């Protein structure tokens, strides 16, 4: 029995025919292909003709001009085409596959992959084997060429895998669901590697090697598991390397390109395992663990770079496929004159290919329905029809033809090699032309590309909002002192996207009794929109330095998992974070031990930092998403349900932060200090870059300044600071009110201020009670409630650190207007009424200051929407700069005096 070692692809020497001429002529074909691709994409934009189909036809036409005419294209152009048509098959795979495979797998969503993995493995494993034997049996029993079972199965295996290059390019142009895209794209990526392994096995059998079951199992295990191991190993090493690269987009992008090719070469040629599976594993590893390593402009640049690489590679490979198909037919025309029936058998083979695909999906359909997201019959039909073949099958057939030219045995005759290229090229052509052109028809026929009724209502609502925004923009842009006014009717005629608005704006959640079935759809839709907003907020916080990569991965994964359950459950993205957030019970003993406090702080910060990041980011992201949802959709019963679900989701996160604040307040202070330091340095870097963009700084000056900022950022990330807890006097001075008071008024208050700690649920004061003093919040959260005042418009009726509560009521001498209840552990200071009033009467400047300070808290209660849009810093700045504050509801100025504040 011959030994069976995992070998590289049997890609032998390519034909030398037509390869004479200057090597630099090869560049001409690249230029011609890209020009043809640009023209096709430009002219076919908005049509239903798939871009890849047009490229294949252009390639066939280019090859026909060169090989089908007496003189060909001649000169260096013809020589360039012939050089590419006779490219070494190994070079074809090594040149194009790594980039295309990495781009496709890196772009996939990891959560979708995990859910669809079983379906992908079924189609790429048993599916390829079933298809191989179906096609092999059909070729053996019906074709008249006298092929052995080994040769028939070899061609069957070669034609069994859907090619990722072809399928991915097609799916990006169609409107299939994300689930179906993931299944088809993942299957094509995986079974491409499976088909190459099957091809290797049958090729060894064809050339005479004797195999047994044990050898086959060993070979398959080494080729597949070895490829996965290599992909993961290179992924870990390169991801760690990325961690040491700081804000250098060029190096980061270059590393991803280099590692994809190195992995393919190491696996395919060095370790003699599947290079396709290795690169696919690498791409998925990056998508799962290294996507968050690219932030801001670096992430955008990475996306655009790989999009461009995929576009160029697809353009070249499809035009080249067309040229190779034309060359395979026209260069061997004498063969087809003798065997004219080959054209009929090509059509028969296409039918067999479709039947085998039907058999595969049909046999596996019960399992495909059971695993992952399931599969319905419509999706199954699209899955069957999306079984395109492409460049990989062509490269393997070219390899077989090259090998047949170097053997004299009858079973590897030149005629067999010609037929392999002819049938493979014909199937590639037919699947792309027929299936590729009509796949969109099936998707449209089954209404898989149509928007749901819920989305249509949202779109119509948004168009009315867009019209309002257009009017607002015209109000700001329609006149200037240099050019004068603009003409609105003329402007409106050019905004054609908003010309088809019918009737009055209708809220998308206002449904009639006959449309009650939309209620659940609306609820699901709003949950998804809020979760999308949460995930977007996480990306923003990662860029700002509020969370690290590890926390970002956990947070985004929790959103993905919650997305799967929005149809049947309330928001549940906290569920996936629970295991990462806990405060060990034994931590309470650290306070009563004799361990140095600095060591305790260091230990607890290291253990609790990640959990604090996660909780704070979760609460902040949900708060941002709730505000954005409320601003977009307005008041709605359905939106209120989802907003309440979001608020309830944060209860455990709040409790954890309360426990940490009460037990280890220094931990939260360290975490926040690190966040602020990173954010300030990042802001400085952006400021310097902006100065260059507006021409105020030259490049050398920017490099000097930015290098200094980047050095500080590196030090901060690699050696983050520990922070000592401030003394009471420092906390008092840090409060905005006390810190802004004139020195003559600050000292009397500091001497009579009482420090206190309140646990959650304690009332600082009650609505209607006599004001006995004011509360200065140093740490924690306080929420307000009222039986009289309506706070339905206040999404977040809370006050945080730096707030001054009760001052307005003390100054006017009337009862408190609402309840103030602690919503967490609160560290605060209390100053009684007598001290405030005596200070109030001591100096007119202090009197004005206290009125201004009182306006901040009262505005958040009486004008919650305006306050939440402006935020504390903007409101404080507005009040500090002038003694009047605009009433944005009535448009009238309100004096910040008791009588007018009361009129609010």
């Amino acid at each position: 029995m011959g030994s069976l070692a995992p070998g590289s692809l049997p890609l032998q020497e390519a034909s030398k025919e037509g390869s004479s001429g200057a090597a630099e002529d090869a560049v001409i074909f690249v230029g011609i292909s890209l020009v043809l691709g640009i023209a096709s994409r430009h002219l076919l934009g908005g049509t239903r003709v798939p871009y890849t189909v047009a490229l294949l036809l252009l390639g066939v036409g280019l090859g026909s001009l060169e090989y089908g005419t007496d003189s060909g294209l001649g000169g260096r152009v013809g020589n360039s085409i012939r050089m590419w048509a006779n490219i070494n098959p190994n070079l074809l795979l090594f040149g194009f596959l790594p980039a295309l495979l990495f781009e496709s797998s890196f772009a996939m969503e990891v959560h979708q992959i995990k859910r669809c993995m079983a379906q992908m493995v079924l189609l790429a494993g048993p599916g390829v084997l079933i298809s191989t034997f179906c096609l092999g049996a059909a070729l053996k029993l019906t074709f008249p060429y006298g092929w052995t079972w080994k040769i028939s199965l070899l061609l069957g295996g070669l034609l069994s895998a859907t090619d990722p290059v072809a399928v991915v390019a097609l799916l990006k142009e169609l409107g299939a669901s994300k689930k179906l895209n993931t299944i088809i794209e993942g299957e094509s990526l995986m079974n491409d590697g499976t088909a190459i392994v099957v091809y290797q096995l049958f090729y060894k059998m064809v050339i005479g090697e004797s195999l047994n079951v044990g050898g086959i199992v060993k070979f398959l295990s080494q080729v597949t598991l070895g490829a996965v191991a290599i992909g993961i190993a290179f992924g870990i090493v390169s991801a760690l390397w990325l961690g040491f690269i700081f804000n250098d987009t060029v190096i980061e992008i270059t590393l991803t390109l280099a590692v994809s090719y190195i992995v393919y070469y190491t696996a395919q040629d060095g370790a003699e395992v599947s290079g396709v599976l290795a690169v696919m594993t690498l791409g998925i590893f990056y998508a799962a663990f290294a996507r968050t390593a690219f932030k801001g402009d670096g992430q955008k640049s990475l996306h655009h770079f790989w999009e461009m690489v995929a576009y160029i590679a697809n353009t070249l490979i499809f035009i080249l496929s067309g040229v190779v198909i034309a060359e395979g037919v026209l260069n061997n025309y004498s063969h087809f004159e003798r065997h004219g029936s080959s054209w009929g058998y090509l059509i028969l083979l296409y039918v067999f290919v479709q039947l085998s695909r039907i058999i595969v999906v049909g046999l596996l359909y019960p399992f495909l329905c059971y695993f992952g997201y399931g599969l319905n019959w419509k999706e199954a039909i699209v899955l069957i029809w999306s079984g395109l073949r492409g460049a990989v099958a062509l490269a393997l057939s070219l390899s077989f033809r090259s090998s047949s030219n170097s053997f004299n045995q009858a079973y590897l005759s030149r005629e067999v090699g010609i037929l392999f290229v002819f049938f493979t090229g014909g199937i590639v052509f037919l699947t792309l032309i027929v299936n590729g052109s009509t796949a969109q028809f099936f998707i449209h026929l089954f209404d898989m590309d149509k928007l749901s009724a819920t989305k249509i209502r949202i779109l119509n609502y948004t168009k009315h909002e867009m019209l309002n925004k257009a009017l607002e923009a015209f109000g700001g842009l329609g006149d200037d002192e240099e050019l004068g006014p603009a003409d609105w009717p003329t402007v409106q005629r050019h905004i054609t996207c908003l010309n088809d608005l019918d009737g009055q704006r209708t809220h998308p959640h206002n449904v009639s009794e006959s449309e009650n079935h939309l209620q659940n759809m609306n609820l699901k839709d709003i949950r998804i929109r809020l979760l999308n907003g949460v995930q977007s907020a996480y990306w923003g916080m990662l860029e700002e330095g509020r969370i690290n990569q590890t926390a970002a991965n956990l947070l985004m994964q929790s959103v993905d998992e919650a997305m799967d359950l929005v149809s049947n459950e309330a928001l549940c993205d906290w569920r996936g974070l629970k295991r990462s957030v806990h405060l060990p019970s034994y931590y309470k003993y650290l306070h009563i031990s004799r361990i140095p406090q600095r060591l305790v702080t260091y230990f607890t910060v290291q253990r609790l930092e990640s959990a604090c990041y996660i909780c704070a980011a979760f609460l902040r992201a949900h708060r941002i998403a709730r505000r954005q949802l409320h601003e977009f959709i307005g008041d709605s019963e359905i939106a209120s349900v989802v907003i309440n679900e979001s608020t309830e989701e944060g209860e455990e996160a709040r409790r954890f932060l309360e426990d940490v604040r009460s037990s280890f307040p220094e931990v939260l202070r360290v975490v926040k200090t690190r966040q602020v330091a990173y954010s300030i340095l990042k802001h400085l870097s952006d400021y310097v870059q902006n100065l260059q963009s507006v021409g105020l700084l030259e490049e050398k000056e920017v490099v000097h300044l930015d290098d200094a900022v980047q050095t500080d950022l590196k030090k901060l990330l690699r050696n983050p600071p520990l922070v000592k807890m401030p003394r009471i006097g420092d906390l008092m001075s840090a409060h905005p009110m006390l810190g802004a008071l004139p020195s003559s008024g600050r000292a009397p208050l500091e001497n009579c201020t009482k420090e206190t700690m309140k646990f959650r649920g304690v009332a600082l004061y009650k609505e209607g009670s006599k004001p006995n003093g004011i509360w200065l919040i140093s740490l924690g959260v306080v929420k307000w409630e009222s039986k009289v005042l309506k706070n339905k418009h206040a999404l977040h009726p809370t006050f945080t650190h730096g707030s001054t509560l009760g001052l307005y009521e003390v100054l006017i001498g009337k009862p408190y207007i609402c309840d103030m209840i602690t919503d967490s552990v609160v560290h605060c200071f209390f100053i009684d009424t007598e001290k405030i009033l005596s200070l109030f009467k001591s100096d007119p400047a202090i009197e004005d200051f206290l009125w201004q300070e009182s306006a901040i808290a009262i505005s958040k209660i009486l004008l919650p929407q305006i306050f939440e849009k402006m935020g504390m810093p903007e409101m404080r700045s507005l009040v500090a700069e002038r003694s009047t504050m605009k009433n944005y509801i009535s448009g009238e100025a309100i004096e910040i005096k008791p009588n007018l504040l009361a009129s609010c």
Side-chain angles (χ1 to χ4, degrees), residues 190 221-235 263 267 273-274 276-282 285:
M190 294 181 68
S221 300
Q222 289 178 336
V223 169
T224 54
L225 298 180
V228 172
I230 288 175
I232 292 175
F234 273 88
V263 164
V273 297
S274 173
V276 173
L277 293 179
V279 175
M280 177 187 170
T281 303
L282 174 73
F285 180 89

Side-chain angles (χ1 to χ4, degrees), residues 725-747:
M725 286 301 293
R727 293 171 297 181
I728 299 301
D730 297 331
L731 285 174
M732 291 174 59
S733 300
H735 191 278
M737 175 185 156
L738 293 178
L741 266 176
S743 56
S744 59
R746 187 186 314 130

Side-chain angles (χ1 to χ4, degrees), residues 58-238:
L58 286 171
V60 171
L62 203 60
S64 299
L65 289 175
E66 176 60 28
Y67 292 101
T69 58
D70 293 335
S71 59
L73 293 173
R76 304 186 72 176
V77 174
N79 181 58
S80 178
I81 293 173
R82 289 177 179 269
M83 290 174 68
W84 278 85
N86 293 282
I87 189 173
N88 186 305
N90 210 354
L91 178 60
L92 180 63
L93 293 177
F94 274 68
F96 289 103
L97 271 189
L100 288 166
L101 290 169
F102 181 83
E103 188 273 339
S104 181
S105 53
F106 181 52
M108 296 175 71
E109 295 187 13
V110 177
H111 179 70
Q112 295 277 336
I113 294 174
K114 289 195 295 186
R115 291 297 304 269
C116 300
M117 181 59 72
Q119 295 160 306
M120 291 155 52
V121 171
L122 282 170
L123 291 168
V128 168
L129 294 178
I130 293 170
S131 179
T132 297
F133 284 101
C134 288
L135 288 175
L139 289 166
K140 173 63 179 174
L141 298 175
T142 61
F143 278 44
Y145 303 110
W147 290 344
T148 63
W149 275 102
K150 294 177 182 178
I151 292 180
S152 299
L153 290 170
L154 179 63
L155 182 57
L158 190 151
L159 293 173
S160 291
T162 55
D163 183 53
V165 178
V167 176
V168 172
L170 176 67
L171 288 177
K172 288 182 178 178
E173 302 173 31
L174 301 181
S177 66
K178 186 182 295 185
K179 172 189 73 174
L180 188 58
N181 280 0
T182 302
I183 294 173
I184 296 175
E185 187 174 346
E187 177 215 353
S188 64
L189 286 168
M190 294 181 68
N191 70 10
D192 187 57
T194 308
I196 293 177
V197 173
V198 170
Y199 173 82
Q200 288 177 294
L201 278 173
F202 286 114
Y203 180 84
K204 290 176 179 293
M205 295 170 64
V206 166
I207 62 175
E209 289 194 23
S210 177
L211 311 176
N212 61 17
V213 176
I216 292 175
V217 172
K218 180 182 178 182
F219 174 80
L220 294 176
S221 300
Q222 289 178 336
V223 169
T224 54
L225 298 180
V228 172
I230 288 175
I232 292 175
F234 273 88
I236 293 173
V237 172
S238 57

Side-chain angles (χ1 to χ4, degrees), residues 463-473 498 505:
K463 283 186 176 182
H464 282 281
E465 291 296 304
M466 289 171 64
L467 182 59
N468 293 334
K469 294 296 180 184
L471 290 168
E472 290 178 13
L498 302 179
R505 184 184 71 169

